[in-house]
Structure formats: C-alpha cells, structure tokens
Coordinates of all heavy atoms in Angstrom, one line a residue:
M275 N -103.0 -37.3 -2.3 CA -101.7 -36.9 -1.8 C -100.6 -37.3 -2.6 O -100.6 -38.4 -3.2 CB -101.6 -37.4 -0.3 CG -100.5 -36.8 0.5 SD -100.5 -37.5 2.1 CE -100.6 -35.9 3.0
A276 N -99.6 -36.4 -2.8 CA -98.4 -36.7 -3.6 C -97.5 -37.8 -3.0 O -97.4 -37.8 -1.8 CB -97.7 -35.5 -3.9
D277 N -96.9 -38.6 -3.8 CA -96.0 -39.6 -3.4 C -94.8 -38.9 -2.8 O -94.2 -37.9 -3.3 CB -95.6 -40.5 -4.5 CG -94.6 -41.6 -4.1 OD1 -94.8 -42.2 -3.1 OD2 -93.7 -41.8 -4.9
T278 N -94.3 -39.3 -1.6 CA -93.1 -38.7 -0.9 C -91.9 -38.7 -1.8 O -91.2 -37.8 -1.9 CB -92.9 -39.4 0.4 OG1 -94.1 -39.4 1.2 CG2 -91.8 -38.7 1.2
G279 N -91.7 -39.8 -2.5 CA -90.6 -40.0 -3.4 C -90.6 -39.0 -4.5 O -89.6 -38.3 -4.9
Q280 N -91.8 -38.7 -5.1 CA -92.0 -37.7 -6.1 C -91.7 -36.3 -5.6 O -91.1 -35.5 -6.4 CB -93.3 -37.8 -6.7 CG -93.6 -36.9 -7.9 CD -92.8 -37.3 -9.1 OE1 -92.6 -38.5 -9.3 NE2 -92.5 -36.3 -9.9
V281 N -92.2 -36.0 -4.4 CA -91.9 -34.7 -3.8 C -90.4 -34.4 -3.6 O -89.9 -33.4 -4.0 CB -92.7 -34.5 -2.5 CG1 -92.3 -33.3 -1.8 CG2 -94.2 -34.6 -2.8
E282 N -89.8 -35.4 -3.1 CA -88.3 -35.4 -2.9 C -87.6 -35.2 -4.2 O -86.6 -34.5 -4.3 CB -87.8 -36.6 -2.1 CG -86.4 -36.5 -1.6 CD -86.2 -35.3 -0.6 OE1 -87.2 -35.1 0.2 OE2 -85.1 -34.7 -0.6
E283 N -88.0 -35.9 -5.2 CA -87.4 -35.8 -6.5 C -87.5 -34.4 -7.2 O -86.6 -33.9 -7.7 CB -88.0 -36.9 -7.4 CG -87.3 -37.0 -8.8 CD -87.9 -38.1 -9.6 OE1 -88.2 -39.2 -9.1 OE2 -88.0 -37.9 -10.8
N284 N -88.7 -33.9 -7.0 CA -88.9 -32.5 -7.5 C -88.1 -31.5 -6.7 O -87.5 -30.6 -7.3 CB -90.4 -32.1 -7.3 CG -91.3 -32.8 -8.4 OD1 -90.8 -33.3 -9.4 ND2 -92.6 -32.8 -8.1
R285 N -87.9 -31.7 -5.5 CA -87.1 -30.7 -4.6 C -85.7 -30.9 -5.1 O -84.9 -29.9 -5.2 CB -87.2 -31.1 -3.1 CG -86.7 -30.1 -2.2 CD -87.0 -30.4 -0.8 NE -88.4 -30.4 -0.5 CZ -89.0 -31.1 0.4 NH1 -88.3 -31.9 1.2 NH2 -90.3 -31.0 0.6
M286 N -85.1 -32.1 -5.3 CA -83.8 -32.3 -5.8 C -83.6 -31.7 -7.2 O -82.5 -31.0 -7.4 CB -83.5 -33.8 -5.8 CG -82.0 -34.1 -6.0 SD -81.0 -33.5 -4.7 CE -80.6 -35.0 -4.0
Y287 N -84.6 -31.9 -8.0 CA -84.5 -31.3 -9.4 C -84.3 -29.8 -9.3 O -83.5 -29.2 -10.0 CB -85.7 -31.7 -10.2 CG -85.7 -31.1 -11.6 CD1 -84.9 -31.5 -12.6 CD2 -86.6 -30.1 -11.8 CE1 -85.0 -30.9 -13.9 CE2 -86.7 -29.5 -13.1 CZ -85.8 -29.9 -14.1 OH -85.9 -29.4 -15.3
K288 N -85.1 -29.1 -8.4 CA -85.2 -27.7 -8.3 C -83.8 -27.2 -7.8 O -83.2 -26.2 -8.2 CB -86.2 -27.2 -7.5 CG -87.6 -27.3 -8.1 CD -88.7 -26.8 -7.1 CE -90.1 -26.9 -7.8 NZ -91.1 -26.5 -6.9
K289 N -83.2 -27.9 -6.9 CA -81.9 -27.6 -6.3 C -80.8 -27.7 -7.4 O -80.0 -26.8 -7.6 CB -81.5 -28.5 -5.1 CG -82.2 -28.1 -3.9 CD -81.8 -29.0 -2.7 CE -82.5 -28.7 -1.4 NZ -82.1 -29.6 -0.3
L290 N -80.9 -28.8 -8.1 CA -79.9 -29.0 -9.2 C -80.0 -27.9 -10.3 O -79.0 -27.3 -10.7 CB -80.1 -30.4 -9.8 CG -79.1 -30.7 -11.0 CD1 -77.7 -30.7 -10.5 CD2 -79.5 -32.1 -11.5
L291 N -81.2 -27.5 -10.6 CA -81.4 -26.5 -11.6 C -80.9 -25.1 -11.1 O -80.3 -24.4 -11.9 CB -82.9 -26.4 -12.0 CG -83.3 -25.5 -13.1 CD1 -82.6 -25.8 -14.4 CD2 -84.8 -25.5 -13.3
S292 N -81.2 -24.9 -9.9 CA -80.7 -23.6 -9.3 C -79.2 -23.5 -9.3 O -78.6 -22.5 -9.6 CB -81.3 -23.4 -7.9 OG -82.7 -23.3 -7.9
A293 N -78.6 -24.6 -8.9 CA -77.1 -24.7 -8.8 C -76.5 -24.5 -10.2 O -75.5 -23.8 -10.4 CB -76.7 -25.9 -8.2
T294 N -77.1 -25.1 -11.2 CA -76.6 -25.0 -12.6 C -76.7 -23.6 -13.1 O -75.8 -23.1 -13.7 CB -77.4 -26.0 -13.5 OG1 -77.3 -27.3 -13.0 CG2 -76.9 -25.9 -14.9
I295 N -77.9 -22.9 -12.9 CA -78.1 -21.6 -13.3 C -77.1 -20.6 -12.6 O -76.4 -19.8 -13.2 CB -79.5 -21.1 -13.1 CG1 -80.4 -21.9 -14.1 CG2 -79.6 -19.6 -13.3 CD1 -81.9 -21.7 -13.8
L296 N -76.9 -20.9 -11.3 CA -75.9 -20.0 -10.6 C -74.5 -20.2 -11.1 O -73.8 -19.3 -11.3 CB -76.0 -20.4 -9.1 CG -75.2 -19.5 -8.1 CD1 -75.6 -18.1 -8.2 CD2 -75.3 -20.1 -6.7
A297 N -74.1 -21.4 -11.4 CA -72.8 -21.7 -11.9 C -72.6 -21.1 -13.3 O -71.5 -20.5 -13.6 CB -72.5 -23.2 -12.0
M298 N -73.6 -21.1 -14.1 CA -73.5 -20.4 -15.5 C -73.4 -19.0 -15.3 O -72.6 -18.4 -16.1 CB -74.8 -20.9 -16.3 CG -74.8 -22.3 -16.7 SD -76.3 -22.8 -17.6 CE -76.4 -21.6 -18.9
L299 N -74.2 -18.4 -14.4 CA -74.1 -16.9 -14.2 C -72.7 -16.4 -13.7 O -72.2 -15.4 -14.1 CB -75.2 -16.4 -13.3 CG -76.6 -16.5 -13.9 CD1 -77.6 -16.2 -12.9 CD2 -76.8 -15.6 -15.1
A300 N -72.1 -17.3 -12.9 CA -70.8 -17.0 -12.3 C -69.7 -17.1 -13.3 O -68.8 -16.3 -13.2 CB -70.6 -17.8 -11.1
T301 N -69.8 -18.0 -14.2 CA -68.7 -18.2 -15.2 C -68.8 -17.4 -16.5 O -67.9 -17.3 -17.2 CB -68.5 -19.7 -15.5 OG1 -69.7 -20.2 -16.0 CG2 -68.1 -20.5 -14.3
A302 N -70.0 -16.9 -16.8 CA -70.2 -16.3 -18.0 C -69.3 -15.1 -18.3 O -68.6 -15.1 -19.4 CB -71.6 -15.8 -18.2
P303 N -69.0 -14.2 -17.4 CA -68.1 -13.1 -17.6 C -66.6 -13.6 -17.9 O -65.9 -13.0 -18.8 CB -68.1 -12.3 -16.4 CG -69.4 -12.6 -15.8 CD -69.7 -14.0 -16.1
A304 N -66.3 -14.6 -17.3 CA -64.9 -15.1 -17.5 C -64.7 -15.8 -18.9 O -63.7 -15.8 -19.4 CB -64.5 -16.2 -16.4
L305 N -65.8 -16.3 -19.4 CA -65.7 -17.0 -20.7 C -66.0 -16.0 -21.9 O -65.7 -16.4 -23.0 CB -66.8 -18.1 -20.8 CG -66.6 -19.2 -19.8 CD1 -67.8 -20.2 -19.9 CD2 -65.3 -20.0 -19.9
A306 N -66.4 -14.8 -21.6 CA -66.7 -13.9 -22.6 C -65.3 -13.5 -23.3 O -64.3 -13.1 -22.7 CB -67.3 -12.6 -22.1
A307 N -65.3 -13.6 -24.6 CA -64.1 -13.3 -25.3 C -63.9 -11.8 -25.5 O -64.8 -11.1 -25.9 CB -64.1 -13.9 -26.7
T308 N -62.8 -11.3 -25.0 CA -62.5 -9.9 -25.2 C -61.4 -9.8 -26.3 O -60.5 -10.4 -26.2 CB -62.0 -9.3 -23.8 OG1 -62.9 -9.6 -22.8 CG2 -61.7 -7.8 -24.0
E309 N -61.7 -8.9 -27.2 CA -60.8 -8.6 -28.3 C -60.4 -7.1 -28.2 O -61.3 -6.3 -27.9 CB -61.4 -8.9 -29.6 CG -61.6 -10.3 -29.9 CD -62.3 -10.6 -31.2 OE1 -63.4 -10.1 -31.5 OE2 -61.6 -11.2 -32.1
Y310 N -59.2 -6.8 -28.6 CA -58.8 -5.4 -28.7 C -58.3 -5.2 -30.2 O -57.8 -6.1 -30.8 CB -57.6 -5.2 -27.8 CG -58.0 -5.3 -26.4 CD1 -57.9 -6.5 -25.7 CD2 -58.5 -4.2 -25.6 CE1 -58.4 -6.6 -24.4 CE2 -58.9 -4.3 -24.3 CZ -58.8 -5.5 -23.7 OH -59.2 -5.6 -22.4
F311 N -58.6 -4.0 -30.7 CA -58.2 -3.6 -32.0 C -57.5 -2.4 -32.0 O -57.6 -1.5 -31.1 CB -59.5 -3.4 -32.8 CG -60.4 -4.6 -32.9 CD1 -61.4 -4.8 -32.0 CD2 -60.3 -5.5 -33.9 CE1 -62.3 -5.9 -32.0 CE2 -61.1 -6.6 -34.0 CZ -62.1 -6.8 -33.0
V312 N -56.6 -2.2 -33.0 CA -55.9 -0.9 -33.2 C -56.7 -0.2 -34.3 O -57.0 -0.7 -35.4 CB -54.5 -1.1 -33.8 CG1 -53.8 0.3 -34.0 CG2 -53.7 -1.9 -32.8
A313 N -57.2 1.0 -33.9 CA -58.1 1.8 -34.7 C -57.5 3.2 -35.0 O -56.8 3.7 -34.2 CB -59.4 2.0 -34.0
Q314 N -57.7 3.6 -36.2 CA -57.2 5.0 -36.7 C -58.5 5.8 -37.1 O -59.2 5.4 -37.9 CB -56.3 4.9 -37.8 CG -55.6 6.2 -38.2 CD -54.7 6.0 -39.3 OE1 -55.0 5.4 -40.3 NE2 -53.5 6.6 -39.2
K315 N -58.6 7.0 -36.4 CA -59.7 7.8 -36.7 C -59.5 8.4 -38.2 O -58.5 8.8 -38.5 CB -59.7 9.1 -35.8 CG -60.3 8.8 -34.5 CD -60.4 10.1 -33.7 CE -60.8 9.9 -32.3 NZ -60.8 11.2 -31.6
A316 N -60.6 8.4 -38.9 CA -60.6 8.9 -40.3 C -60.4 10.4 -40.4 O -59.7 10.9 -41.2 CB -61.9 8.5 -41.0
S317 N -60.9 11.1 -39.3 CA -60.8 12.6 -39.3 C -59.4 13.1 -39.1 O -59.0 14.0 -39.8 CB -61.8 13.1 -38.3 OG -61.4 12.7 -37.0
D318 N -58.7 12.7 -38.1 CA -57.4 13.2 -37.8 C -56.3 12.2 -37.8 O -55.2 12.6 -37.4 CB -57.5 14.0 -36.5 CG -57.8 13.1 -35.3 OD1 -57.9 11.8 -35.5 OD2 -57.9 13.6 -34.1
K319 N -56.5 11.0 -38.2 CA -55.5 10.0 -38.4 C -54.8 9.6 -37.0 O -53.7 9.0 -37.1 CB -54.5 10.3 -39.4 CG -55.0 10.7 -40.7 CD -55.7 9.5 -41.4 CE -56.1 9.9 -42.8 NZ -57.0 9.0 -43.3
T320 N -55.4 9.8 -35.9 CA -54.8 9.4 -34.6 C -55.2 8.0 -34.4 O -56.3 7.5 -34.7 CB -55.3 10.3 -33.4 OG1 -56.7 10.2 -33.4 CG2 -54.8 11.7 -33.6
C321 N -54.3 7.2 -33.7 CA -54.6 5.8 -33.4 C -54.9 5.6 -32.0 O -54.4 6.4 -31.1 CB -53.3 5.0 -33.8 SG -53.0 4.9 -35.5
S322 N -55.6 4.5 -31.7 CA -56.0 4.2 -30.3 C -56.3 2.7 -30.3 O -56.5 2.1 -31.3 CB -57.2 5.0 -29.8 OG -58.3 4.7 -30.6
V323 N -56.4 2.2 -29.1 CA -56.8 0.8 -28.9 C -58.2 0.8 -28.5 O -58.7 1.6 -27.7 CB -56.0 0.2 -27.7 CG1 -56.5 -1.2 -27.4 CG2 -54.5 0.1 -28.1
A324 N -59.0 0.0 -29.2 CA -60.5 -0.1 -29.0 C -60.9 -1.5 -28.7 O -60.3 -2.5 -29.2 CB -61.2 0.4 -30.3
K325 N -62.0 -1.6 -28.0 CA -62.6 -2.9 -27.6 C -63.6 -3.3 -28.7 O -64.0 -4.5 -28.7 CB -63.2 -2.9 -26.2 CG -62.2 -2.9 -25.1 CD -62.9 -3.0 -23.8 CE -62.0 -3.1 -22.7 NZ -62.7 -3.2 -21.3
I326 N -64.0 -2.3 -29.5 CA -65.1 -2.6 -30.5 C -64.3 -2.5 -31.9 O -63.6 -1.5 -32.1 CB -66.2 -1.6 -30.4 CG1 -66.9 -1.7 -29.0 CG2 -67.2 -1.8 -31.5 CD1 -67.8 -0.6 -28.7
K327 N -64.7 -3.4 -32.7 CA -64.0 -3.4 -34.0 C -64.4 -2.1 -34.8 O -65.6 -1.8 -34.8 CB -64.5 -4.6 -34.9 CG -63.8 -4.8 -36.2 CD -64.1 -6.1 -36.8 CE -63.3 -6.2 -38.1 NZ -63.6 -7.5 -38.8
P328 N -63.5 -1.4 -35.4 CA -63.7 -0.2 -36.1 C -64.7 -0.4 -37.3 O -64.7 -1.5 -37.9 CB -62.3 0.2 -36.6 CG -61.4 -0.4 -35.7 CD -62.0 -1.7 -35.3
D329 N -65.6 0.6 -37.5 CA -66.6 0.5 -38.5 C -66.2 0.7 -39.9 O -66.9 0.4 -40.8 CB -67.8 1.4 -38.1 CG -67.4 2.8 -38.1 OD1 -66.3 3.2 -38.6 OD2 -68.2 3.7 -37.7
G330 N -65.0 1.2 -40.1 CA -64.5 1.4 -41.5 C -64.9 2.8 -42.1 O -64.6 3.1 -43.1
K331 N -65.7 3.5 -41.3 CA -66.2 4.8 -41.7 C -65.5 5.9 -40.9 O -64.8 6.7 -41.4 CB -67.7 4.9 -41.7 CG -68.3 4.0 -42.7 CD -69.8 4.0 -42.6 CE -70.4 3.0 -43.5 NZ -71.9 2.8 -43.2
T332 N -65.9 6.0 -39.6 CA -65.3 7.0 -38.7 C -64.0 6.5 -38.2 O -63.2 7.4 -37.8 CB -66.3 7.3 -37.6 OG1 -66.5 6.0 -36.8 CG2 -67.6 7.8 -38.0
A333 N -63.7 5.3 -38.2 CA -62.4 4.7 -37.7 C -62.1 3.5 -38.6 O -63.0 2.7 -39.0 CB -62.5 4.3 -36.2
M334 N -60.8 3.4 -38.9 CA -60.3 2.3 -39.7 C -59.5 1.3 -38.9 O -58.8 1.8 -38.0 CB -59.4 2.8 -40.8 CG -60.1 3.9 -41.7 SD -61.6 3.3 -42.4 CE -61.0 3.1 -44.1
M335 N -59.6 0.1 -39.2 CA -58.8 -0.9 -38.5 C -57.3 -0.9 -39.0 O -57.2 -1.0 -40.2 CB -59.4 -2.3 -38.6 CG -58.7 -3.4 -37.8 SD -59.9 -4.8 -37.8 CE -58.7 -6.1 -37.5
V336 N -56.4 -0.8 -38.1 CA -55.0 -0.9 -38.5 C -54.5 -2.3 -38.4 O -54.6 -3.0 -37.4 CB -54.1 0.0 -37.6 CG1 -52.6 -0.1 -38.0 CG2 -54.5 1.5 -37.7
G337 N -54.1 -2.9 -39.5 CA -53.7 -4.3 -39.6 C -55.0 -5.2 -39.9 O -56.0 -4.7 -40.1
K338 N -54.8 -6.5 -39.8 CA -55.8 -7.4 -40.1 C -56.2 -8.3 -39.0 O -56.9 -9.3 -39.2 CB -55.4 -8.2 -41.3 CG -55.2 -7.5 -42.6 CD -54.8 -8.3 -43.7 CE -54.5 -7.5 -45.0 NZ -54.1 -8.3 -46.1
T339 N -55.7 -8.0 -37.8 CA -56.0 -9.0 -36.7 C -56.5 -8.2 -35.5 O -56.4 -7.0 -35.3 CB -54.7 -9.7 -36.4 OG1 -55.1 -10.8 -35.4 CG2 -53.6 -8.9 -35.8
S340 N -57.1 -9.0 -34.6 CA -57.5 -8.5 -33.2 C -56.5 -9.1 -32.3 O -55.7 -10.0 -32.6 CB -58.8 -8.9 -32.9 OG -59.0 -10.3 -32.8
Y341 N -56.4 -8.5 -31.0 CA -55.4 -9.0 -30.0 C -56.1 -9.4 -28.8 O -57.2 -8.9 -28.4 CB -54.5 -7.8 -29.7 CG -53.8 -7.3 -31.0 CD1 -54.3 -6.3 -31.7 CD2 -52.6 -7.9 -31.4 CE1 -53.7 -5.9 -32.9 CE2 -52.0 -7.6 -32.6 CZ -52.5 -6.5 -33.3 OH -51.9 -6.1 -34.5
K342 N -55.6 -10.4 -28.1 CA -56.2 -10.9 -26.9 C -56.1 -10.0 -25.7 O -56.9 -10.0 -24.7 CB -55.6 -12.3 -26.6 CG -56.0 -13.3 -27.6 CD -55.4 -14.6 -27.2 CE -55.8 -15.7 -28.2 NZ -55.3 -17.0 -27.9
T343 N -55.0 -9.2 -25.6 CA -54.8 -8.3 -24.5 C -54.6 -6.9 -25.0 O -54.2 -6.6 -26.1 CB -53.5 -8.7 -23.7 OG1 -52.4 -8.5 -24.5 CG2 -53.6 -10.2 -23.2
E344 N -54.9 -5.9 -24.1 CA -54.7 -4.6 -24.4 C -53.3 -4.3 -24.6 O -52.9 -3.4 -25.4 CB -55.3 -3.7 -23.3 CG -55.3 -2.2 -23.6 CD -56.1 -1.4 -22.6 OE1 -56.5 -1.9 -21.5 OE2 -56.3 -0.2 -22.8
A345 N -52.4 -4.9 -23.8 CA -51.0 -4.7 -24.0 C -50.5 -5.1 -25.4 O -49.6 -4.4 -26.0 CB -50.2 -5.5 -22.9
E346 N -51.0 -6.2 -25.9 CA -50.6 -6.7 -27.3 C -51.0 -5.6 -28.3 O -50.3 -5.3 -29.2 CB -51.2 -8.0 -27.6 CG -50.6 -9.2 -26.9 CD -51.3 -10.5 -27.2 OE1 -52.4 -10.5 -27.8 OE2 -50.8 -11.5 -26.8
A347 N -52.2 -5.1 -28.1 CA -52.8 -4.1 -29.1 C -52.0 -2.8 -29.0 O -51.7 -2.2 -30.0 CB -54.3 -3.9 -28.8
T348 N -51.6 -2.4 -27.8 CA -50.8 -1.2 -27.6 C -49.5 -1.3 -28.3 O -49.0 -0.4 -29.0 CB -50.7 -0.9 -26.1 OG1 -52.0 -0.7 -25.6 CG2 -49.8 0.4 -25.9
A349 N -48.8 -2.5 -28.1 CA -47.5 -2.8 -28.7 C -47.7 -2.7 -30.2 O -46.8 -2.2 -30.9 CB -47.0 -4.1 -28.2
A350 N -48.7 -3.3 -30.8 CA -48.9 -3.3 -32.2 C -49.2 -1.9 -32.8 O -48.7 -1.5 -33.8 CB -50.1 -4.2 -32.6
M351 N -49.8 -1.1 -32.0 CA -50.2 0.3 -32.4 C -48.9 1.1 -32.4 O -48.7 1.8 -33.4 CB -51.1 1.0 -31.3 CG -51.5 2.4 -31.6 SD -52.6 3.1 -30.5 CE -51.5 3.3 -29.0
K352 N -48.0 0.9 -31.4 CA -46.7 1.6 -31.4 C -45.8 1.2 -32.6 O -45.0 2.0 -33.1 CB -46.0 1.4 -30.1 CG -46.7 2.1 -28.9 CD -46.0 1.8 -27.6 CE -46.7 2.5 -26.5 NZ -46.1 2.2 -25.2
A353 N -46.0 0.0 -33.0 CA -45.1 -0.5 -34.1 C -45.7 -0.3 -35.5 O -44.9 -0.3 -36.5 CB -44.9 -2.0 -34.0
A354 N -46.9 0.1 -35.6 CA -47.6 0.3 -36.9 C -47.2 1.6 -37.6 O -47.1 2.6 -36.9 CB -49.1 0.3 -36.7
A355 N -46.8 1.5 -38.9 CA -46.3 2.6 -39.6 C -47.4 3.7 -39.7 O -47.1 4.9 -39.6 CB -45.9 2.2 -41.0
E356 N -48.7 3.3 -39.8 CA -49.8 4.2 -39.9 C -50.0 5.1 -38.6 O -50.6 6.2 -38.7 CB -51.2 3.5 -40.1 CG -51.2 2.6 -41.4 CD -50.8 1.2 -41.1 OE1 -50.0 0.9 -40.2 OE2 -51.3 0.4 -41.9
C357 N -49.5 4.6 -37.5 CA -49.7 5.2 -36.3 C -48.5 6.1 -35.8 O -48.5 6.7 -34.7 CB -50.0 4.2 -35.2 SG -51.6 3.3 -35.5
K358 N -47.4 6.1 -36.6 CA -46.2 6.8 -36.2 C -46.5 8.3 -36.5 O -47.1 8.7 -37.5 CB -45.0 6.4 -37.1 CG -44.7 4.9 -36.9 CD -43.5 4.8 -36.1 CE -43.1 3.3 -36.1 NZ -42.8 2.8 -34.8
K359 N -46.1 9.2 -35.5 CA -46.2 10.6 -35.7 C -45.3 11.1 -36.7 O -44.1 10.7 -36.8 CB -46.0 11.3 -34.4 CG -46.9 10.9 -33.3 CD -48.0 11.8 -33.0 CE -48.8 11.3 -31.9 NZ -49.9 12.0 -31.6
K360 N -45.7 11.9 -37.6 CA -44.8 12.4 -38.7 C -44.4 13.9 -38.4 O -44.9 14.6 -37.7 CB -45.6 12.5 -40.1 CG -45.9 11.0 -40.4 CD -46.7 11.0 -41.7 CE -47.1 9.6 -42.0 NZ -47.9 9.4 -43.1

C-alpha cells in the first residue's frame, strides 16, 4: 500500500503542474510579439500594412524597421515617399 504522504504529494504535484500549464496557455497570446510592416507590391507599387515581413520578391519592405502597432505602420506608410500617389 502506498504511503499516504506520498499519495498526497503526487496529488499536489499534479495540481501544481496543471495550474502552471493553464497559466502558460492563458498568457501565451498576450506575450506574442506582433509586428507590422509597410509593404509595397512589386507588380503595381501599391503600399499596405502587413503583419508578415515582405519577402522581397512579390512585395518589398518600405523602410528598415517594423512597427509595434498598426497605427504606427499606417502613419509611416502615409509619410513614405515610395507610397505617395503620383
């Protein structure tokens, strides 16, 4: 027969492990880094804000940086000389 203390310790360990996994799953989306890029299509030279870094073939990155918010990327796109309508 198993020692009562050992059984209780195993039960506590399982609860702690379950709580840790649940906490990690709950916070993972909040910790995910979201980046925004200003991209210019190679085909028609139109600009847009993208969540994925442009590949350099079908779309080119405008500028040399990424932005933390979509609003920052949109402002940068409006200010970029490459994105101004001619």
